[in-house]
Amino acid sequence: QVQLVESGGGLVQPGGSLRLSCAASGRFFSIVNMGWYRQAAGKQRELVAIITSGDSTNYTDSVKGRFTISKDNAKSTVYLQMNSLSPEDTAAYYCNADLLMTDWSTANYWGQGTQVTVSS
């Protein structure tokens, strides 16, 4: 069974930084894409950043220049470095992965979410 386990959320002051991690474990062949989504209270879940197997990245406009997504293939882990955080970044952050399974099918998985709160 595949699991995505997130860590690194918490409370930070405006202007501060946090780094989120998401580790994929279980039986799969490789990672196709991994990304981070977030959902603020009363709002729809939105894509924050995504990284492909070829290391191409894409960011939502509101985080460009502040957030950086990266991955460690050996650890099957994706990171989200978040700098210059503002209260508008407060949300539950979810890891998402498209995985190539051992039977050559693809499957999509979600992590359980980690809360990021930006407040003074």
Side-chain angles (χ1 to χ4, degrees):
Q1 184 174 355
V2 173
Q3 282 190 313
L4 302 181
V5 179
E6 299 134 334
S7 60
L11 173 65
V12 64
Q13 292 187 340
S17 298
L18 282 175
R19 189 175 85 150
L20 306 182
S21 300
C22 172
S25 63
R27 189 174 174 85
F28 59 93
F29 184 73
S30 66
I31 297 171
V32 179
N33 302 309
M34 287 190 83
W36 290 95
Y37 290 71
R38 66 185 179 186
Q39 187 167 18
K43 295 187 177 181
Q44 288 189 329
R45 190 172 296 188
E46 64 170 350
L47 174 66
V48 177
I50 191 168
I51 186 166
T52 70
S53 58
D55 292 336
S56 295
T57 59
N58 194 25
Y59 300 89
T60 191
D61 286 345
S62 62
V63 308
K64 287 179 180 177
R66 300 188 299 122
F67 291 10
T68 302
I69 190 170
S70 61
K71 63 183 173 72
D72 184 332
N73 291 323
K75 296 180 179 179
S76 297
T77 299
V78 66
Y79 305 96
L80 186 68
Q81 178 66 43
M82 304 185 295
N83 299 328
S84 302
L85 285 162
S86 72
E88 289 70 33
D89 296 313
T90 295
Y93 283 70
Y94 296 89
C95 178
N96 180 268
D98 292 314
L99 304 177
L100 181 61
M101 310 307 287
T102 55
D103 63 359
W104 304 110
S105 66
T106 58
N108 185 265
Y109 292 90
W110 289 93
Q112 80 283 0
T114 185
Q115 180 67 34
V116 171
T117 302
V118 185
S119 175
S120 56

